[in-house]
Amino acid sequence: MASTPPPHDDALHRRGLLFILSSPSGAGKTTISRRLLAHDGHIQMSVSVTTRPMRPGEVDGKDYYFTDQPDFDTKVRDGQFLEWAHVFGHSYGTPKAQIKAGLKTGQDFLFDIDWQGTQQLYQKAETDVVRVFLLPPSLDELRRRLTARATDSAEVIASRMARAQAEISHWDGYDYVVVNDDIDVCFAKVVQILAAERLRRARQTGLIGFVRELMKPEI
Ligand code: 5GP
């Protein structure tokens, strides 16, 4: 996939948006996210704060901002998060300041969060949020994608399937739903959604001045 950013929509000033991609695991969210970041220079991943330990290969400030629980709790108290949650015994939060500043300058942010994070973000920043949900093409295909190794036990696969189906049950909390049958087609659809959402009138904050110019009476 080419890494050159496409020509930007137009020369008008535009407010950025919060682009949420959710899916059950096995529906291709990670691949689509990576492609989008490589393809488009105007969207960046939102980097969350977390209390979970750093994994090998992770970089502080790139994958997450790693911190401890007391610091996280202080940030919650100070209202520094747009949303936050406890996931698998650790705390995760989206820092507010970087998002607020970025949106003003036309920066878009990509979020890889589940339906609960999506709901919270929507409640806090409804007009800036675009919610996209990816679905697997069939139950058989989902099972195939969740069977990582031939040695996976029936119990392990069943529990992954149950988790995926619980996530799927929240499909109706999204603005767009894309069935990922073919990764290239799915990616093209996600790119189209982003392009159209950038052109929403309310996001084109430079329009008023521009249109005023167009409507100046000719002498
Ligand atoms: P991991 O620790 O494997 O990177 O992420 C575990 C889970 O935490 C994932 O489901 C991920 O979507 C979620 N997560 C990561 N950052 C945030 C965040 O800022 N807010 C919320 N609500 N969930 C997050």
Side-chain angles (χ1 to χ4, degrees):
M1 182 52 60
S3 61
T4 24
H8 204 25
D9 322 335
D10 48 51
L12 294 181
H13 188 264
R14 173 177 75 77
R15 183 170 169 81
L17 52 83
L18 308 179
F19 200 72
I20 301 178
L21 264 188
S22 298
S23 78
S25 86
K29 180 178 56 172
T30 311
T31 310
I32 298 288
S33 297
R34 286 208 189 111
R35 276 207 193 177
L36 200 56
L37 294 169
H39 164 88
D40 188 318
H42 297 281
I43 190 160
Q44 70 182 50
M45 201 79 196
S46 165
V47 181
S48 298
V49 177
T50 185
T51 60
R52 86 145 159 74
M54 204 186 292
R55 293 179 188 142
E58 285 187 328
V59 178
D60 189 24
K62 180 172 171 280
D63 298 288
Y64 285 104
Y65 298 105
F66 294 93
T67 191
D68 53 24
Q69 197 66 53
D71 178 59
F72 191 95
D73 295 341
T74 304
K75 287 182 161 65
V76 170
R77 270 198 306 277
D78 292 350
Q80 289 186 34
F81 293 126
L82 207 49
E83 62 80 39
W84 65 275
H86 289 296
V87 187
F88 306 133
H90 299 291
S91 301
Y92 296 81
T94 303
K96 200 189 284 180
Q98 65 180 35
I99 303 278
K100 268 184 87 172
L103 285 177
K104 275 194 200 146
T105 67
Q107 175 68 53
D108 300 319
F109 292 93
L110 178 62
F111 290 81
D112 167 349
I113 50 176
D114 66 5
W115 67 275
Q116 278 170 313
T118 301
Q119 273 191 347
Q120 276 200 58
L121 210 55
Y122 187 72
Q123 279 161 12
K124 293 280 173 62
E126 182 178 331
T127 55
D128 291 318
V129 166
V130 178
R131 299 162 296 178
V132 182
F133 196 71
L134 305 182
L135 283 174
S138 69
L139 203 55
D140 280 349
E141 179 59 17
L142 180 66
R143 193 176 299 106
R144 200 186 64 74
R145 291 181 191 175
L146 291 182
T147 310
R149 286 165 289 271
T151 50
D152 285 341
S153 69
E155 285 82 4
V156 166
I157 296 169
S159 115
R160 284 185 201 145
M161 286 294 283
R163 218 176 316 138
Q165 288 180 314
E167 187 73 19
I168 289 172
S169 73
H170 299 285
W171 67 283
D172 58 351
Y174 288 78
D175 305 305
Y176 299 90
V177 177
V178 182
V179 177
N180 183 7
D181 199 356
D182 176 302
I183 195 83
D184 292 328
V185 175
C186 177
F187 177 64
K189 287 178 180 168
V190 170
V191 168
Q192 284 168 351
I193 293 167
L194 180 57
E197 286 289 341
R198 282 172 171 165
L199 287 172
R200 273 190 187 272
R201 177 161 51 86
R203 296 207 168 98
Q204 299 196 66
T205 44
L207 265 183
I208 292 177
F210 179 74
V211 172
R212 224 177 252 151
E213 270 303 305
L214 290 178
M215 289 170 56
K216 259 191 189 159
E218 294 225 82
I219 309 162

Coordinates of all heavy atoms in Angstrom, one line a residue, residues 29 46-50 52 55 58 64 83-88 90 92-95 111-114 116-118 120, ligand 1:
K29 N -9.8 -5.5 12.2 CA -9.7 -4.1 12.6 C -8.2 -3.7 12.7 O -7.9 -2.5 12.2 CB -10.3 -4.0 14.1 CG -10.2 -2.7 14.7 CD -10.9 -2.7 16.0 CE -10.3 -3.8 16.9 NZ -10.8 -3.7 18.3
S46 N -4.9 7.7 18.3 CA -4.9 8.4 19.6 C -4.2 7.5 20.6 O -4.4 6.3 20.7 CB -6.4 8.5 20.0 OG -6.5 8.8 21.4
V47 N -3.2 8.1 21.3 CA -2.4 7.3 22.2 C -3.0 7.4 23.6 O -3.1 8.5 24.2 CB -0.9 7.8 22.2 CG1 -0.1 7.0 23.2 CG2 -0.3 7.8 20.8
S48 N -3.4 6.3 24.2 CA -4.0 6.3 25.5 C -3.0 6.2 26.6 O -1.8 5.8 26.4 CB -4.9 5.0 25.6 OG -5.9 5.1 24.7
V49 N -3.4 6.5 27.8 CA -2.7 6.3 29.0 C -3.1 5.0 29.6 O -4.3 4.7 29.6 CB -2.9 7.5 30.1 CG1 -2.2 7.3 31.4 CG2 -2.6 8.8 29.5
T50 N -2.2 4.2 30.1 CA -2.5 2.9 30.7 C -1.7 2.6 31.9 O -0.5 3.0 32.0 CB -2.5 1.7 29.8 OG1 -3.0 0.6 30.4 CG2 -1.1 1.4 29.3
R52 N -1.3 -0.6 32.7 CA -0.8 -2.0 32.5 C 0.7 -2.0 32.2 O 1.2 -1.0 31.6 CB -1.6 -2.8 31.5 CG -1.2 -2.6 30.0 CD -1.4 -3.9 29.2 NE -1.4 -3.6 27.8 CZ -0.4 -3.3 27.1 NH1 0.8 -3.1 27.6 NH2 -0.6 -3.1 25.7
R55 N 4.6 -4.1 27.3 CA 5.0 -5.4 26.7 C 6.3 -5.3 25.9 O 6.6 -4.2 25.4 CB 3.9 -5.9 25.8 CG 2.6 -6.3 26.6 CD 1.5 -6.7 25.7 NE 0.2 -6.9 26.3 CZ -0.9 -6.6 25.8 NH1 -1.0 -6.1 24.6 NH2 -2.1 -6.7 26.5
E58 N 7.0 -2.6 23.0 CA 6.2 -1.4 23.0 C 7.1 -0.2 23.4 O 8.1 -0.4 24.1 CB 5.1 -1.6 24.1 CG 3.9 -2.5 23.6 CD 2.8 -2.6 24.5 OE1 3.0 -2.5 25.7 OE2 1.6 -2.8 24.0
Y64 N 1.4 3.5 24.1 CA 0.7 4.0 25.2 C 1.6 5.0 26.0 O 2.8 5.0 25.8 CB 0.3 2.9 26.2 CG -0.8 2.0 25.8 CD1 -0.6 0.7 25.3 CD2 -2.2 2.4 25.9 CE1 -1.6 -0.1 24.9 CE2 -3.2 1.6 25.5 CZ -2.9 0.3 25.0 OH -4.0 -0.5 24.6
E83 N -12.3 10.0 28.1 CA -13.0 8.8 28.6 C -12.0 7.9 29.2 O -10.8 8.0 28.8 CB -13.8 8.1 27.5 CG -13.0 7.5 26.3 CD -12.3 6.2 26.6 OE1 -12.9 5.3 27.2 OE2 -11.1 6.0 26.2
W84 N -12.4 7.0 30.1 CA -11.5 6.1 30.7 C -12.2 4.8 31.1 O -13.5 4.8 31.2 CB -10.7 6.7 31.8 CG -11.5 7.0 33.0 CD1 -12.2 8.2 33.2 CD2 -11.8 6.2 34.2 NE1 -12.8 8.2 34.4 CE2 -12.6 7.0 35.0 CE3 -11.4 5.0 34.6 CZ2 -13.1 6.5 36.2 CZ3 -11.8 4.5 35.8 CH2 -12.7 5.2 36.6
A85 N -11.5 3.7 31.2 CA -12.2 2.4 31.6 C -11.2 1.5 32.3 O -10.0 1.6 32.1 CB -12.8 1.8 30.3
H86 N -11.7 0.5 33.0 CA -10.9 -0.6 33.5 C -11.1 -1.8 32.5 O -12.3 -2.1 32.2 CB -11.4 -1.1 34.9 CG -11.1 -0.1 36.0 ND1 -9.8 0.2 36.3 CD2 -11.9 0.7 36.7 CE1 -9.8 1.1 37.3 NE2 -11.1 1.4 37.6
V87 N -10.1 -2.3 32.0 CA -10.1 -3.4 31.1 C -9.1 -4.5 31.5 O -7.9 -4.2 31.7 CB -9.8 -3.0 29.6 CG1 -10.0 -4.1 28.6 CG2 -10.6 -1.8 29.2
F88 N -9.6 -5.7 31.7 CA -8.8 -6.8 32.2 C -7.9 -6.4 33.3 O -6.6 -6.6 33.3 CB -7.9 -7.3 31.0 CG -8.7 -7.7 29.8 CD1 -8.2 -7.2 28.5 CD2 -9.8 -8.5 29.8 CE1 -9.0 -7.6 27.4 CE2 -10.5 -8.8 28.7 CZ -10.1 -8.4 27.5
H90 N -6.7 -3.5 34.4 CA -5.9 -2.3 34.3 C -6.7 -1.1 33.8 O -7.8 -1.3 33.3 CB -4.8 -2.5 33.3 CG -3.8 -3.6 33.6 ND1 -3.0 -3.6 34.7 CD2 -3.7 -4.9 33.1 CE1 -2.3 -4.7 34.8 NE2 -2.7 -5.5 33.9
Y92 N -7.3 2.4 31.5 CA -7.0 2.9 30.2 C -7.7 4.2 30.1 O -8.9 4.3 30.4 CB -7.4 2.0 29.1 CG -6.7 0.7 29.0 CD1 -7.1 -0.4 29.8 CD2 -5.6 0.5 28.2 CE1 -6.5 -1.6 29.8 CE2 -5.0 -0.8 28.1 CZ -5.4 -1.8 28.9 OH -4.8 -3.0 28.8
G93 N -7.1 5.3 29.6 CA -7.8 6.5 29.3 C -7.3 7.3 28.1 O -6.1 7.2 27.8
T94 N -8.2 8.1 27.5 CA -7.9 8.9 26.4 C -7.6 10.3 26.9 O -8.5 11.0 27.4 CB -9.1 8.9 25.4 OG1 -9.4 7.6 25.0 CG2 -8.7 9.8 24.2
P95 N -6.3 10.8 26.7 CA -6.0 12.1 27.2 C -6.7 13.2 26.4 O -6.8 13.1 25.2 CB -4.5 12.2 27.0 CG -4.0 11.0 26.4 CD -5.2 10.1 26.1
F111 N -9.3 5.7 16.7 CA -9.5 5.0 18.0 C -9.8 3.5 17.7 O -10.7 3.2 16.9 CB -10.7 5.6 18.8 CG -10.4 7.0 19.3 CD1 -10.5 8.0 18.5 CD2 -10.0 7.1 20.6 CE1 -10.3 9.3 19.0 CE2 -9.8 8.4 21.1 CZ -9.9 9.5 20.3
D112 N -9.0 2.7 18.4 CA -9.3 1.3 18.3 C -9.8 0.9 19.7 O -9.1 0.5 20.6 CB -7.9 0.6 18.0 CG -7.9 -0.9 18.2 OD1 -8.9 -1.4 18.7 OD2 -6.9 -1.5 17.8
I113 N -11.1 1.1 19.9 CA -11.7 0.9 21.2 C -13.0 0.0 21.1 O -13.6 0.0 20.0 CB -12.0 2.2 22.0 CG1 -12.8 3.2 21.1 CG2 -10.8 2.8 22.5 CD1 -13.2 4.4 21.8
D114 N -13.4 -0.5 22.2 CA -14.6 -1.4 22.1 C -15.9 -0.6 22.2 O -15.8 0.7 22.3 CB -14.5 -2.5 23.2 CG -14.6 -1.9 24.6 OD1 -14.8 -0.7 24.8 OD2 -14.5 -2.7 25.6
Q116 N -17.9 0.0 24.7 CA -18.1 0.8 25.9 C -17.4 2.1 25.7 O -17.9 3.2 26.1 CB -17.7 0.0 27.1 CG -18.8 -0.9 27.6 CD -18.3 -1.8 28.7 OE1 -17.2 -2.4 28.5 NE2 -19.0 -2.0 29.7
G117 N -16.1 2.0 25.3 CA -15.3 3.2 25.0 C -16.0 4.1 24.0 O -16.0 5.3 24.1
T118 N -16.5 3.4 23.0 CA -17.2 4.2 21.9 C -18.4 5.0 22.5 O -18.6 6.2 22.2 CB -17.8 3.2 20.8 OG1 -16.7 2.5 20.3 CG2 -18.5 3.9 19.7
Q120 N -18.8 6.1 25.5 CA -18.3 7.1 26.4 C -17.8 8.3 25.5 O -18.1 9.5 25.8 CB -17.2 6.6 27.2 CG -17.6 6.0 28.5 CD -16.4 6.0 29.4 OE1 -15.8 7.0 29.8 NE2 -15.9 4.8 29.8
Ligands
5GP1 P1 -4.2 -3.9 25.4 O1 -3.8 -3.8 26.8 O2 -4.2 -5.3 24.9 O3 -3.4 -3.0 24.5 O4 -5.7 -3.3 25.3 C1 -6.7 -4.0 26.1 C2 -8.0 -3.3 25.8 O5 -8.1 -2.0 26.2 C3 -8.4 -3.3 24.3 O6 -9.7 -3.8 24.2 C4 -8.4 -1.8 24.0 O7 -9.4 -1.5 23.0 C5 -8.7 -1.2 25.3 N1 -8.3 0.2 25.4 C6 -7.0 0.7 25.1 N2 -7.0 2.0 25.3 C7 -8.2 2.4 25.7 C8 -8.8 3.7 26.1 O8 -8.1 4.7 26.1 N3 -10.0 3.6 26.5 C9 -10.8 2.5 26.6 N4 -12.0 2.6 27.0 N5 -10.3 1.3 26.2 C10 -9.0 1.2 25.8

